[in-house]
Amino acid sequence: MSHTPTQINAAYALMDAGNLTGARTSFEHILADTPDHVPALCGMAASLIGEDNKKALACTLDALARDPENDYATRILALIHMQLKKKQEAIGAANRAVELESFNPDNHHIQGIVLARYDQREGAEAAYKRGLELDPYSTALLSDYARLLNDMGRTSEANDLSEQAVHLAPGSANALAARGETALLAGELDEAMSLAVEALRDDANNPSAIQLLVEIKTRKNPIMGIWWHWMRWMNSLGSSSMRWGVIIGLYIAWQVFRRTVLVNTPEPVQMLGIAAWVGFCVLTWVGPSLFNNMLKKEMKTVNLKAGF
């Protein structure tokens, strides 16, 4: 049985709307009749990323076995490898997608996402810029580029890009979340919360909007707020070598301070100083786990939009 473009487009429309269950069912129906249907294999793989990476990988490899130069399947492969924490494979697949179709802005977009994940920020920025040259009105590209600039500490440029994205698509969850992140970094917590809520109204399953909401809650917490500021500052440093340099430098500074200054203070002051240092170390160690648990808990509360 052959399947019309309308059927495959309808399946992709369900996925774009956030109804992954409905999209998978549609892809399954198509694949049951036509197992070598490459667009359906790609769609199934894309819908499974993050939930069943093993099956997503199998679908993608099946698609590439049937069409080795399919740039869509190749960029999906990059995202799956990123989920599986396979750095070189993810970067290789992202670069390969660009080689296969350099005039497709989506390929540059995925390349930027992958490079940003692995702190190759100059390459990520170049990829985003090239993508925007090809599609200057892409709110997804503008939003993700804004997030990269926020991570790099270039909040003014990020603000301009996020505002442009919101102007192009006032109801886009991605654009609203990017603008909300910029507001959060500027200390505009009420504005950030308003934008997060508006983004979640548009798409209750949007990962960026959910993360923004959790970051706002973290920032407001008097204890976790300390970790949030530390995390954001460390992210702005870029490379992991610079971050390790800061950590080692702080440890050396603490040891020098403890042995030359703190040792000459009254015992209660010494105990307070040691407690503060230990507390800071514990917070920076467990902070990421606490944040991820908050994120997972928030993810479980979201529902599909009404009507799907």
Side-chain angles (χ1 to χ4, degrees):
M1 176 183 174
S2 62
H3 292 273
T4 66
T6 300
Q7 290 173 305
I8 192 70
N9 289 342
Y12 273 100
L14 287 171
M15 186 166 65
D16 291 341
N19 185 356
L20 299 182
T21 302
R24 288 170 194 154
T25 300
S26 297
F27 290 132
E28 284 171 356
H29 287 160
I30 296 172
L31 291 169
D33 292 325
T34 316
D36 61 349
H37 197 291
V38 172
L41 286 167
C42 291
M44 178 64 79
S47 73
L48 291 167
I49 293 175
E51 292 189 27
D52 190 342
N53 292 317
K54 184 176 180 180
K55 186 175 179 180
L57 180 60
C59 290
T60 306
L61 293 177
D62 193 0
L64 286 169
R66 301 173 191 281
D67 184 1
E69 296 192 349
N70 188 299
D71 64 308
Y72 180 37
T74 305
R75 67 174 179 264
I76 291 173
L77 182 63
L79 293 175
I80 295 170
H81 282 316
M82 190 172 70
Q83 287 282 325
L84 296 172
K85 304 185 188 305
K86 294 182 177 180
K87 176 180 176 180
Q88 296 305 323
E89 290 87 344
I91 294 174
N95 292 342
R96 173 64 176 158
V98 171
E99 290 173 5
L100 288 170
E101 183 51 81
S102 61
F103 292 100
N104 187 333
D106 293 336
N107 292 335
H108 295 279
H109 188 184
I110 297 303
Q111 184 185 45
I113 290 173
V114 171
L115 293 176
R117 171 65 66 89
Y118 295 112
D119 290 329
Q120 296 187 19
R121 293 178 174 175
E122 290 184 4
E125 183 171 11
Y128 286 141
K129 284 182 175 179
R130 177 56 178 153
L132 285 169
E133 287 174 5
L134 296 167
D135 184 5
Y137 302 109
S138 170
T139 56
L141 270 164
L142 287 166
S143 300
D144 284 338
Y145 188 12
R147 291 188 187 91
L148 174 67
L149 292 175
N150 274 327
D151 285 341
M152 296 169 73
R154 293 157 58 183
T155 53
S156 177
E157 295 172 73
N159 184 63
D160 291 341
L161 287 175
S162 61
E163 284 189 347
Q164 185 180 347
V166 172
H167 177 74
L168 288 170
S172 166
N174 279 330
L176 291 166
R179 178 67 188 89
E181 182 180 13
T182 304
L184 174 62
L185 293 175
E188 302 169 359
L189 301 186
D190 291 340
E191 175 69 8
M193 179 62 80
S194 175
L195 289 162
V197 171
E198 190 176 349
L200 288 168
R201 268 198 209 105
D202 175 72
D203 180 2
N205 300 288
N206 186 275
S208 297
I210 295 170
Q211 177 158 336
L212 172 61
L213 182 63
V214 174
E215 281 206 49
I216 294 169
K217 293 179 179 180
T218 302
R219 168 68 176 79
K220 287 183 174 181
N221 185 287
I223 302 299
M224 284 297 290
I226 297 171
W227 170 81
W228 181 86
H229 283 290
W230 165 261
M231 178 270 294
R232 276 293 182 175
W233 180 68
M234 289 290 278
N235 278 348
S236 70
L237 297 178
S239 68
S240 58
S241 59
M242 290 184 66
R243 293 169 193 157
W244 276 111
V246 168
I247 292 171
I248 293 170
L250 278 176
Y251 177 76
I252 293 172
W254 160 251
Q255 291 298 334
V256 171
F257 174 77
R258 183 175 67 85
R259 294 165 190 263
T260 60
V261 178
L262 195 61
V263 70
N264 297 317
T265 62
E267 186 173 346
V269 176
Q270 293 184 40
M271 296 298 294
L272 183 62
I274 292 171
W277 170 254
V278 171
F280 175 74
C281 291
V282 170
L283 183 61
T284 55
W285 181 263
V286 304
S289 296
L290 294 174
F291 179 81
N292 287 332
N293 287 336
M294 290 172 64
L295 193 58
K296 289 177 182 177
K297 183 178 179 181
E298 200 71 42
M299 287 280 193
K300 290 179 180 178
T301 67
V302 302
N303 297 301
L304 292 175
K305 292 189 288 186
F308 289 95

mmCIF file of all heavy atoms in Angstrom, residues 218-251:
data_model
loop_
_atom_site.group_PDB
_atom_site.id
_atom_site.type_symbol
_atom_site.label_atom_id
_atom_site.label_comp_id
_atom_site.label_asym_id
_atom_site.label_seq_id
_atom_site.Cartn_x
_atom_site.Cartn_y
_atom_site.Cartn_z
ATOM 1 N N THR A 218 14.785 28.156 40.872
ATOM 2 C CA THR A 218 16.105 27.958 41.472
ATOM 3 C C THR A 218 16.728 29.287 41.865
ATOM 4 O O THR A 218 17.295 29.433 42.955
ATOM 5 C CB THR A 218 17.026 27.228 40.475
ATOM 6 O OG1 THR A 218 16.433 25.983 40.108
ATOM 7 C CG2 THR A 218 18.393 26.964 41.081
ATOM 8 N N ARG A 219 16.618 30.258 40.977
ATOM 9 C CA ARG A 219 17.182 31.587 41.227
ATOM 10 C C ARG A 219 16.541 32.246 42.448
ATOM 11 O O ARG A 219 17.222 32.948 43.222
ATOM 12 C CB ARG A 219 16.968 32.446 39.973
ATOM 13 C CG ARG A 219 17.222 33.938 40.136
ATOM 14 C CD ARG A 219 18.675 34.240 40.367
ATOM 15 N NE ARG A 219 18.886 35.670 40.412
ATOM 16 C CZ ARG A 219 18.612 36.445 41.486
ATOM 17 N NH1 ARG A 219 18.145 35.896 42.597
ATOM 18 N NH2 ARG A 219 18.839 37.747 41.446
ATOM 19 N N LYS A 220 15.255 31.993 42.671
ATOM 20 C CA LYS A 220 14.546 32.615 43.791
ATOM 21 C C LYS A 220 14.854 31.946 45.123
ATOM 22 O O LYS A 220 14.680 32.540 46.176
ATOM 23 C CB LYS A 220 13.038 32.571 43.540
ATOM 24 C CG LYS A 220 12.560 33.539 42.467
ATOM 25 C CD LYS A 220 11.044 33.481 42.321
ATOM 26 C CE LYS A 220 10.547 34.541 41.355
ATOM 27 N NZ LYS A 220 9.060 34.517 41.227
ATOM 28 N N ASN A 221 15.294 30.689 45.083
ATOM 29 C CA ASN A 221 15.600 29.966 46.313
ATOM 30 C C ASN A 221 16.871 30.543 46.945
ATOM 31 O O ASN A 221 17.888 30.680 46.265
ATOM 32 C CB ASN A 221 15.797 28.481 45.996
ATOM 33 C CG ASN A 221 16.009 27.644 47.241
ATOM 34 O OD1 ASN A 221 17.054 27.691 47.866
ATOM 35 N ND2 ASN A 221 15.002 26.859 47.587
ATOM 36 N N PRO A 222 16.845 30.879 48.234
ATOM 37 C CA PRO A 222 18.006 31.535 48.851
ATOM 38 C C PRO A 222 19.273 30.680 48.852
ATOM 39 O O PRO A 222 20.389 31.216 48.821
ATOM 40 C CB PRO A 222 17.532 31.824 50.286
ATOM 41 C CG PRO A 222 16.359 30.917 50.501
ATOM 42 C CD PRO A 222 15.723 30.751 49.167
ATOM 43 N N ILE A 223 19.135 29.356 48.894
ATOM 44 C CA ILE A 223 20.305 28.477 48.881
ATOM 45 C C ILE A 223 20.680 28.100 47.456
ATOM 46 O O ILE A 223 21.821 28.300 47.020
ATOM 47 C CB ILE A 223 20.040 27.191 49.702
ATOM 48 C CG1 ILE A 223 19.663 27.556 51.140
ATOM 49 C CG2 ILE A 223 21.275 26.297 49.677
ATOM 50 C CD1 ILE A 223 20.727 28.321 51.885
ATOM 51 N N MET A 224 19.720 27.536 46.718
ATOM 52 C CA MET A 224 19.993 27.130 45.345
ATOM 53 C C MET A 224 20.321 28.326 44.460
ATOM 54 O O MET A 224 20.992 28.185 43.434
ATOM 55 C CB MET A 224 18.799 26.375 44.769
ATOM 56 C CG MET A 224 18.676 24.950 45.266
ATOM 57 S SD MET A 224 20.080 23.911 44.784
ATOM 58 C CE MET A 224 19.793 23.765 43.009
ATOM 59 N N GLY A 225 19.875 29.517 44.868
ATOM 60 C CA GLY A 225 20.198 30.723 44.103
ATOM 61 C C GLY A 225 21.699 30.980 44.048
ATOM 62 O O GLY A 225 22.224 31.470 43.050
ATOM 63 N N ILE A 226 22.396 30.616 45.133
ATOM 64 C CA ILE A 226 23.848 30.763 45.152
ATOM 65 C C ILE A 226 24.467 29.865 44.095
ATOM 66 O O ILE A 226 25.338 30.284 43.327
ATOM 67 C CB ILE A 226 24.412 30.413 46.546
ATOM 68 C CG1 ILE A 226 23.875 31.400 47.593
ATOM 69 C CG2 ILE A 226 25.945 30.425 46.523
ATOM 70 C CD1 ILE A 226 24.214 31.008 49.024
ATOM 71 N N TRP A 227 24.002 28.603 44.051
ATOM 72 C CA TRP A 227 24.514 27.671 43.041
ATOM 73 C C TRP A 227 24.185 28.155 41.635
ATOM 74 O O TRP A 227 25.016 28.042 40.730
ATOM 75 C CB TRP A 227 23.903 26.276 43.250
ATOM 76 C CG TRP A 227 24.214 25.364 42.110
ATOM 77 C CD1 TRP A 227 25.373 24.674 41.905
ATOM 78 C CD2 TRP A 227 23.381 25.092 40.973
ATOM 79 N NE1 TRP A 227 25.313 23.975 40.718
ATOM 80 C CE2 TRP A 227 24.097 24.215 40.126
ATOM 81 C CE3 TRP A 227 22.092 25.484 40.598
ATOM 82 C CZ2 TRP A 227 23.563 23.743 38.926
ATOM 83 C CZ3 TRP A 227 21.563 25.013 39.410
ATOM 84 C CH2 TRP A 227 22.301 24.142 38.587
ATOM 85 N N TRP A 228 22.986 28.710 41.441
ATOM 86 C CA TRP A 228 22.574 29.175 40.116
ATOM 87 C C TRP A 228 23.530 30.257 39.601
ATOM 88 O O TRP A 228 23.952 30.216 38.443
ATOM 89 C CB TRP A 228 21.149 29.712 40.159
ATOM 90 C CG TRP A 228 20.651 30.172 38.829
ATOM 91 C CD1 TRP A 228 20.065 29.420 37.849
ATOM 92 C CD2 TRP A 228 20.701 31.508 38.305
ATOM 93 N NE1 TRP A 228 19.750 30.197 36.756
ATOM 94 C CE2 TRP A 228 20.132 31.478 37.009
ATOM 95 C CE3 TRP A 228 21.168 32.722 38.795
ATOM 96 C CZ2 TRP A 228 20.022 32.616 36.215
ATOM 97 C CZ3 TRP A 228 21.061 33.854 38.007
ATOM 98 C CH2 TRP A 228 20.500 33.794 36.731
ATOM 99 N N HIS A 229 23.863 31.223 40.458
ATOM 100 C CA HIS A 229 24.793 32.277 40.058
ATOM 101 C C HIS A 229 26.173 31.683 39.711
ATOM 102 O O HIS A 229 26.806 32.087 38.723
ATOM 103 C CB HIS A 229 24.949 33.318 41.166
ATOM 104 C CG HIS A 229 23.797 34.277 41.261
ATOM 105 N ND1 HIS A 229 23.549 35.238 40.307
ATOM 106 C CD2 HIS A 229 22.815 34.409 42.188
ATOM 107 C CE1 HIS A 229 22.478 35.939 40.642
ATOM 108 N NE2 HIS A 229 22.014 35.451 41.780
ATOM 109 N N TRP A 230 26.614 30.736 40.532
ATOM 110 C CA TRP A 230 27.888 30.068 40.281
ATOM 111 C C TRP A 230 27.855 29.330 38.943
ATOM 112 O O TRP A 230 28.778 29.431 38.141
ATOM 113 C CB TRP A 230 28.188 29.116 41.433
ATOM 114 C CG TRP A 230 29.259 28.105 41.168
ATOM 115 C CD1 TRP A 230 29.087 26.792 40.810
ATOM 116 C CD2 TRP A 230 30.675 28.317 41.240
ATOM 117 N NE1 TRP A 230 30.297 26.162 40.660
ATOM 118 C CE2 TRP A 230 31.295 27.068 40.920
ATOM 119 C CE3 TRP A 230 31.486 29.402 41.538
ATOM 120 C CZ2 TRP A 230 32.674 26.905 40.895
ATOM 121 C CZ3 TRP A 230 32.865 29.233 41.513
ATOM 122 C CH2 TRP A 230 33.449 28.009 41.193
ATOM 123 N N MET A 231 26.779 28.570 38.704
ATOM 124 C CA MET A 231 26.634 27.788 37.482
ATOM 125 C C MET A 231 26.630 28.686 36.250
ATOM 126 O O MET A 231 27.304 28.404 35.251
ATOM 127 C CB MET A 231 25.342 26.971 37.542
ATOM 128 C CG MET A 231 25.011 26.141 36.313
ATOM 129 S SD MET A 231 24.013 27.042 35.074
ATOM 130 C CE MET A 231 22.475 27.279 35.980
ATOM 131 N N ARG A 232 25.892 29.772 36.314
ATOM 132 C CA ARG A 232 25.821 30.682 35.177
ATOM 133 C C ARG A 232 27.173 31.337 34.901
ATOM 134 O O ARG A 232 27.568 31.509 33.745
ATOM 135 C CB ARG A 232 24.750 31.755 35.425
ATOM 136 C CG ARG A 232 23.346 31.315 35.076
ATOM 137 C CD ARG A 232 23.236 31.115 33.584
ATOM 138 N NE ARG A 232 21.895 30.728 33.163
ATOM 139 C CZ ARG A 232 21.535 30.590 31.896
ATOM 140 N NH1 ARG A 232 22.407 30.785 30.930
ATOM 141 N NH2 ARG A 232 20.330 30.238 31.578
ATOM 142 N N TRP A 233 27.876 31.691 35.959
ATOM 143 C CA TRP A 233 29.191 32.310 35.763
ATOM 144 C C TRP A 233 30.172 31.314 35.174
ATOM 145 O O TRP A 233 30.930 31.635 34.257
ATOM 146 C CB TRP A 233 29.720 32.847 37.093
ATOM 147 C CG TRP A 233 31.070 33.487 36.946
ATOM 148 C CD1 TRP A 233 31.369 34.646 36.289
ATOM 149 C CD2 TRP A 233 32.315 32.978 37.441
ATOM 150 N NE1 TRP A 233 32.726 34.893 36.348
ATOM 151 C CE2 TRP A 233 33.324 33.893 37.045
ATOM 152 C CE3 TRP A 233 32.672 31.859 38.180
ATOM 153 C CZ2 TRP A 233 34.667 33.713 37.379
ATOM 154 C CZ3 TRP A 233 34.006 31.677 38.506
ATOM 155 C CH2 TRP A 233 34.975 32.593 38.098
ATOM 156 N N MET A 234 30.135 30.093 35.675
ATOM 157 C CA MET A 234 31.029 29.060 35.148
ATOM 158 C C MET A 234 30.717 28.775 33.683
ATOM 159 O O MET A 234 31.627 28.572 32.868
ATOM 160 C CB MET A 234 30.902 27.783 35.975
ATOM 161 C CG MET A 234 31.505 27.891 37.367
ATOM 162 S SD MET A 234 33.309 27.990 37.369
ATOM 163 C CE MET A 234 33.735 26.261 37.206
ATOM 164 N N ASN A 235 29.441 28.746 33.332
ATOM 165 C CA ASN A 235 29.059 28.524 31.928
ATOM 166 C C ASN A 235 29.616 29.606 31.015
ATOM 167 O O ASN A 235 29.984 29.337 29.870
ATOM 168 C CB ASN A 235 27.534 28.489 31.799
ATOM 169 C CG ASN A 235 26.966 27.136 32.163
ATOM 170 O OD1 ASN A 235 27.688 26.156 32.300
ATOM 171 N ND2 ASN A 235 25.654 27.075 32.346
ATOM 172 N N SER A 236 29.666 30.824 31.521
ATOM 173 C CA SER A 236 30.133 31.933 30.686
ATOM 174 C C SER A 236 31.622 31.830 30.365
ATOM 175 O O SER A 236 32.108 32.486 29.445
ATOM 176 C CB SER A 236 29.847 33.276 31.375
ATOM 177 O OG SER A 236 30.684 33.460 32.507
ATOM 178 N N LEU A 237 32.338 30.984 31.113
ATOM 179 C CA LEU A 237 33.777 30.845 30.883
ATOM 180 C C LEU A 237 34.083 30.063 29.616
ATOM 181 O O LEU A 237 35.162 30.178 29.053
ATOM 182 C CB LEU A 237 34.439 30.165 32.089
ATOM 183 C CG LEU A 237 34.360 30.924 33.412
ATOM 184 C CD1 LEU A 237 35.007 30.112 34.519
ATOM 185 C CD2 LEU A 237 35.033 32.287 33.291
ATOM 186 N N GLY A 238 33.130 29.244 29.196
ATOM 187 C CA GLY A 238 33.307 28.521 27.939
ATOM 188 C C GLY A 238 33.916 27.153 28.103
ATOM 189 O O GLY A 238 33.224 26.184 28.396
ATOM 190 N N SER A 239 35.218 27.033 27.939
ATOM 191 C CA SER A 239 35.872 25.729 27.896
ATOM 192 C C SER A 239 35.961 25.086 29.279
ATOM 193 O O SER A 239 36.042 25.770 30.302
ATOM 194 C CB SER A 239 37.273 25.857 27.298
ATOM 195 O OG SER A 239 38.111 26.567 28.175
ATOM 196 N N SER A 240 35.975 23.763 29.288
ATOM 197 C CA SER A 240 36.089 23.022 30.545
ATOM 198 C C SER A 240 37.445 23.260 31.194
ATOM 199 O O SER A 240 37.569 23.224 32.426
ATOM 200 C CB SER A 240 35.869 21.525 30.285
ATOM 201 O OG SER A 240 36.800 21.043 29.342
ATOM 202 N N SER A 241 38.481 23.517 30.385
ATOM 203 C CA SER A 241 39.809 23.771 30.951
ATOM 204 C C SER A 241 39.806 25.056 31.779
ATOM 205 O O SER A 241 40.445 25.124 32.842
ATOM 206 C CB SER A 241 40.855 23.865 29.841
ATOM 207 O OG SER A 241 40.536 24.893 28.924
ATOM 208 N N MET A 242 39.074 26.061 31.309
ATOM 209 C CA MET A 242 38.981 27.310 32.078
ATOM 210 C C MET A 242 38.222 27.080 33.380
ATOM 211 O O MET A 242 38.575 27.632 34.431
ATOM 212 C CB MET A 242 38.292 28.392 31.239
ATOM 213 C CG MET A 242 39.114 28.897 30.073
ATOM 214 S SD MET A 242 38.319 30.247 29.174
ATOM 215 C CE MET A 242 38.311 31.540 30.414
ATOM 216 N N ARG A 243 37.163 26.249 33.318
ATOM 217 C CA ARG A 243 36.397 25.975 34.528
ATOM 218 C C ARG A 243 37.235 25.229 35.558
ATOM 219 O O ARG A 243 37.196 25.545 36.747
ATOM 220 C CB ARG A 243 35.147 25.159 34.168
ATOM 221 C CG ARG A 243 34.149 25.936 33.328
ATOM 222 C CD ARG A 243 33.076 25.028 32.775
ATOM 223 N NE ARG A 243 32.313 25.704 31.734
ATOM 224 C CZ ARG A 243 31.632 25.090 30.795
ATOM 225 N NH1 ARG A 243 31.609 23.770 30.733
ATOM 226 N NH2 ARG A 243 30.960 25.774 29.891
ATOM 227 N N TRP A 244 37.993 24.235 35.094
ATOM 228 C CA TRP A 244 38.873 23.515 36.007
ATOM 229 C C TRP A 244 39.939 24.446 36.560
ATOM 230 O O TRP A 244 40.348 24.317 37.727
ATOM 231 C CB TRP A 244 39.506 22.324 35.307
ATOM 232 C CG TRP A 244 38.620 21.112 35.310
ATOM 233 C CD1 TRP A 244 37.994 20.551 34.250
ATOM 234 C CD2 TRP A 244 38.254 20.340 36.457
ATOM 235 N NE1 TRP A 244 37.244 19.463 34.653
ATOM 236 C CE2 TRP A 244 37.396 19.302 36.005
ATOM 237 C CE3 TRP A 244 38.576 20.411 37.811
ATOM 238 C CZ2 TRP A 244 36.855 18.354 36.866
ATOM 239 C CZ3 TRP A 244 38.029 19.465 38.683
ATOM 240 C CH2 TRP A 244 37.189 18.454 38.205
ATOM 241 N N GLY A 245 40.387 25.381 35.752
ATOM 242 C CA GLY A 245 41.359 26.359 36.232
ATOM 243 C C GLY A 245 40.804 27.184 37.379
ATOM 244 O O GLY A 245 41.502 27.446 38.371
ATOM 245 N N VAL A 246 39.537 27.580 37.251
ATOM 246 C CA VAL A 246 38.886 28.349 38.316
ATOM 247 C C VAL A 246 38.762 27.516 39.581
ATOM 248 O O VAL A 246 39.037 27.987 40.699
ATOM 249 C CB VAL A 246 37.498 28.831 37.852
ATOM 250 C CG1 VAL A 246 36.695 29.371 39.036
ATOM 251 C CG2 VAL A 246 37.639 29.903 36.782
ATOM 252 N N ILE A 247 38.335 26.254 39.429
ATOM 253 C CA ILE A 247 38.157 25.379 40.593
ATOM 254 C C ILE A 247 39.481 25.162 41.315
ATOM 255 O O ILE A 247 39.561 25.269 42.555
ATOM 256 C CB ILE A 247 37.554 24.027 40.142
ATOM 257 C CG1 ILE A 247 36.111 24.232 39.656
ATOM 258 C CG2 ILE A 247 37.586 23.007 41.283
ATOM 259 C CD1 ILE A 247 35.508 23.017 38.995
ATOM 260 N N ILE A 248 40.539 24.865 40.556
ATOM 261 C CA ILE A 248 41.852 24.646 41.163
ATOM 262 C C ILE A 248 42.364 25.939 41.807
ATOM 263 O O ILE A 248 42.919 25.930 42.919
ATOM 264 C CB ILE A 248 42.847 24.128 40.106
ATOM 265 C CG1 ILE A 248 42.433 22.732 39.639
ATOM 266 C CG2 ILE A 248 44.269 24.106 40.672
ATOM 267 C CD1 ILE A 248 43.201 22.226 38.427
ATOM 268 N N GLY A 249 42.124 27.067 41.108
ATOM 269 C CA GLY A 249 42.543 28.355 41.648
ATOM 270 C C GLY A 249 41.839 28.682 42.958
ATOM 271 O O GLY A 249 42.461 29.181 43.912
ATOM 272 N N LEU A 250 40.544 28.398 43.034
ATOM 273 C CA LEU A 250 39.787 28.640 44.264
ATOM 274 C C LEU A 250 40.300 27.777 45.409
ATOM 275 O O LEU A 250 40.410 28.233 46.550
ATOM 276 C CB LEU A 250 38.302 28.368 44.029
ATOM 277 C CG LEU A 250 37.487 29.480 43.378
ATOM 278 C CD1 LEU A 250 36.067 29.012 43.119
ATOM 279 C CD2 LEU A 250 37.472 30.737 44.250
ATOM 280 N N TYR A 251 40.611 26.524 45.087
ATOM 281 C CA TYR A 251 41.114 25.621 46.131
ATOM 282 C C TYR A 251 42.457 26.121 46.677
ATOM 283 O O TYR A 251 42.676 26.148 47.899
ATOM 284 C CB TYR A 251 41.265 24.210 45.577
ATOM 285 C CG TYR A 251 41.840 23.242 46.580
ATOM 286 C CD1 TYR A 251 41.062 22.742 47.624
ATOM 287 C CD2 TYR A 251 43.186 22.850 46.495
ATOM 288 C CE1 TYR A 251 41.603 21.873 48.558
ATOM 289 C CE2 TYR A 251 43.728 21.983 47.418
ATOM 290 C CZ TYR A 251 42.937 21.487 48.460
ATOM 291 O OH TYR A 251 43.472 20.634 49.387
#
